[in-house]
Amino acid sequence: MTIRANAFPEPTQWSEGERRAINTYWPLLVRVLPQDILFIADPEGSIMGVGSSIGPSYVGNGTSDMRLVGALREVLAGGHLGYEEVQGVLKEVLPLKLEDNVSASLSESLLSALLIGQRMNRETDRELKAYCLAFDDEHGPVPVADVRSLTPYGVPYDGNTRFFRCTLLVAAVRSCYGEACLLHGVEWMPPKGGITEEQMLKFMGANTNISPLQAKRILEDEEVGFAYLSQREAHPSIHSLIGLREHIKKRPPLATTEKVQQLVRGEEGALSMTTKLRSENASKGLPVNYCSGFRSLKMAPAYEVDGVSRENFNVVVNAKEYGFEPTETPRTDKLVSRNIELGLAALRGERGPAYDRIVLNAGMVDHLLGCDGAQEISSALDRAREAIDSGKALDRLLNYIKISHKVLKSGYTVP
């Protein structure tokens, strides 16, 4: 409400009912609310009137609170932070040190207000870049896999609650013909708390406690060629925010950075394109199966100038145009076992909606990213089908489960 009062257009500022409620109850609330909440409600003493003297002089308790208060004065006024300022705040306050599930070193109210406020103000590119890169060096230099190509999949971390989630299966398919894939995520994340790749891998017996260096070695293994990296292992500082994110409910800027590499707007906001026809009553905005990104072009003379020449693409994929019969997406309704049952049946060659979605997503991503051998969409789809029908994709998935345990042993070497 502070940001709405300070920075939102007049029609979306406080309603008459909200203002009456504040006028009635604020004199009572100011007697019982802690100082950090009073600061958030009226940081400059210009909104609430009576009892608003705390905000202008508030500095918090300790250096972490002071850093947050300084950033919040800008954000609560509707402003934005610079790249260095965002990184400085994050590195000051994270990881959260919890005692009995309560932060021992800073005000969770202040940190929550910062995360919610930046989302309400619509993060700038520099703010998102700061969130993306703040902890890239948490374990030292980032390992670089020695593979011909690598596709990072930016899947929403809070999972699917309704429909079949196929990204893990797609990664197994694409690895069969040399398109290495890196999946990243968490076991569980609010607000949806849906099915994730980590849940699926754990259910099938895989080890999900793999370090970035171990993931690099699995990517380079010719018997696997894809890997999953948990945020818990890659960025433990950011992972420490999950409890706070559950409490605040609203998606923070981190939710945007987690899917920054998302080139497909699929069902449930994930990466799964569907064969289902778009409903005439579909909501406005970007349609499901909308794909946007860029692919590299290894063509002279532009390639010779900067080493990378790229071509942008924006397309809505109509699966029917490529021979897929329109089908409803299988429902899983948060049942990990059901999602795995559908996925394994498809990798065994069982035709149906799940099989079609894996083929569609593997082949179209190959084509859109300009992968070798995928210039023609029909060829790309046929290659994905062959990877499934030959049993290679299933073998890759089973190999991953085995090698995810072997990689922890000092004697493991990439074949």
Side-chain angles (χ1 to χ4, degrees):
M1 289 185 71
T2 307
I3 293 176
R4 284 175 56 205
N6 281 333
F8 272 35
E10 189 172 346
T12 54
Q13 292 180 4
W14 295 1
S15 67
E16 199 56 45
E18 288 172 325
R19 190 166 295 281
R20 283 199 304 270
I22 287 295
N23 290 339
T24 301
Y25 295 108
W26 182 251
L28 303 175
L29 291 171
V30 77
R31 301 176 189 172
V32 295
L33 290 176
Q35 290 195 349
D36 55 355
I37 302 297
L38 295 175
F39 162 74
I40 293 168
D42 196 359
E44 304 304 331
S46 59
I47 302 175
M48 299 297 191
V50 62
S52 296
S53 60
I54 290 175
S57 59
Y58 183 73
V59 294
N61 299 309
T63 57
S64 295
D65 277 8
M66 290 177 66
R67 196 79 183 251
L68 286 168
V69 168
L72 274 168
R73 290 196 186 279
E74 185 70 30
V75 170
L76 292 174
H80 295 281
L81 305 179
Y83 174 83
E84 291 81 8
E85 190 171 7
V86 173
Q87 286 215 330
V89 170
L90 293 176
K91 291 182 178 181
E92 172 70 37
V93 304
L94 299 180
L96 288 183
K97 299 176 179 64
L98 301 180
E99 294 180 3
D100 298 326
N101 291 323
V102 177
S103 173
S105 59
L106 57 82
S107 163
E108 290 190 357
S109 299
L110 296 176
L111 180 54
S112 299
L114 180 68
L115 296 175
I116 294 171
Q118 286 195 288
R119 168 49 60 93
M120 289 180 67
N121 292 341
R122 297 187 178 181
E123 316 93 321
T124 63
D125 288 348
R126 68 174 181 266
E127 288 173 320
L128 289 177
K129 181 181 177 181
Y131 275 98
C132 278
L133 301 180
F135 294 99
D136 259 16
D137 58 354
E138 192 162 6
H139 295 295
V142 178
V144 179
D146 183 15
V147 293
R148 178 176 56 82
S149 72
L150 179 63
T151 306
Y153 276 85
V155 185
Y157 279 17
D158 59 355
N160 282 28
T161 59
R162 293 174 292 159
F163 298 122
F164 176 59
R165 189 169 171 108
C166 70
T167 309
L168 175 63
L169 298 316
V170 170
V173 170
R174 297 185 69 231
S175 69
C176 294
Y177 40 81
E179 297 300 336
C181 304
L182 178 64
L183 310 174
H184 52 92
V186 293
E187 183 172 0
W188 182 90
M189 179 69 79
K192 287 167 65 176
I195 296 172
T196 64
E197 284 68 34
E198 186 162 331
Q199 290 176 18
M200 294 168 64
L201 286 167
K202 287 187 71 172
F203 191 94
M204 292 186 287
N207 168 40
T208 58
N209 300 315
I210 292 172
S211 71
L213 183 59
Q214 290 163 343
K216 168 190 178 294
R217 295 165 68 188
I218 296 177
L219 286 169
E220 295 170 346
D221 192 318
E222 293 182 357
E223 295 181 356
V224 185
F226 72 94
Y228 171 78
L229 190 56
S230 176
Q231 185 188 64
R232 179 184 58 255
E233 304 297 327
H235 293 139
S237 291
I238 297 177
H239 190 264
S240 71
L241 282 169
I242 288 182
L244 186 67
R245 291 174 67 169
E246 181 182 10
H247 180 67
I248 67 176
K249 306 303 181 187
K250 189 176 180 66
R251 289 182 174 89
L254 288 164
T256 303
T257 67
E258 288 156 3
K259 57 184 182 180
V260 73
Q261 293 160 318
Q262 183 177 8
L263 63 106
V264 177
R265 188 195 178 281
E267 289 183 307
E268 290 200 61
L271 282 173
S272 300
M273 285 182 264
T274 179
T275 64
K276 181 173 64 176
L277 292 176
R278 190 183 191 200
S279 169
E280 294 181 358
N281 300 320
S283 59
K284 295 180 180 179
L286 297 176
V288 174
N289 288 15
Y290 174 81
C291 305
S292 177
F294 64 89
R295 51 179 164 249
S296 62
L297 295 176
K298 300 175 182 178
M299 299 171 59
Y303 185 76
E304 296 173 353
V305 173
D306 58 7
V308 178
S309 179
R310 67 189 210 177
E311 174 185 58
N312 296 328
F313 61 81
N314 294 280
V315 63
V316 178
V317 174
N318 182 349
K320 191 173 182 181
E321 293 179 358
Y322 307 113
F324 293 95
E325 287 298 318
T327 55
E328 293 295 315
T329 304
R331 292 194 69 104
T332 56
D333 296 320
K334 279 191 173 182
L335 292 175
V336 179
S337 58
R338 176 59 177 159
N339 206 102
I340 292 171
E341 177 187 356
L342 289 165
L344 292 181
L347 290 192
R348 293 190 185 103
E350 182 179 308
R351 297 297 199 271
Y355 177 97
D356 286 348
R357 277 157 181 75
I358 297 171
V359 170
L360 174 67
N361 281 275
M364 287 305 304
V365 167
D366 288 339
H367 171 72
L368 291 172
L369 294 182
C371 298
D372 291 343
Q375 288 77 15
E376 297 294 329
I377 294 176
S378 59
S379 299
L381 296 172
D382 287 342
R383 184 170 65 175
R385 290 189 185 96
E386 193 278 331
I388 296 175
D389 296 343
S390 65
K392 294 177 184 176
L394 180 58
D395 287 344
R396 293 274 175 152
L397 180 59
L398 298 177
N399 287 343
Y400 181 85
I401 294 170
K402 289 189 299 182
I403 292 174
S404 68
H405 294 280
K406 287 184 179 180
V407 76
L408 299 178
K409 301 175 182 178
S410 59
Y412 169 79
T413 57
V414 175

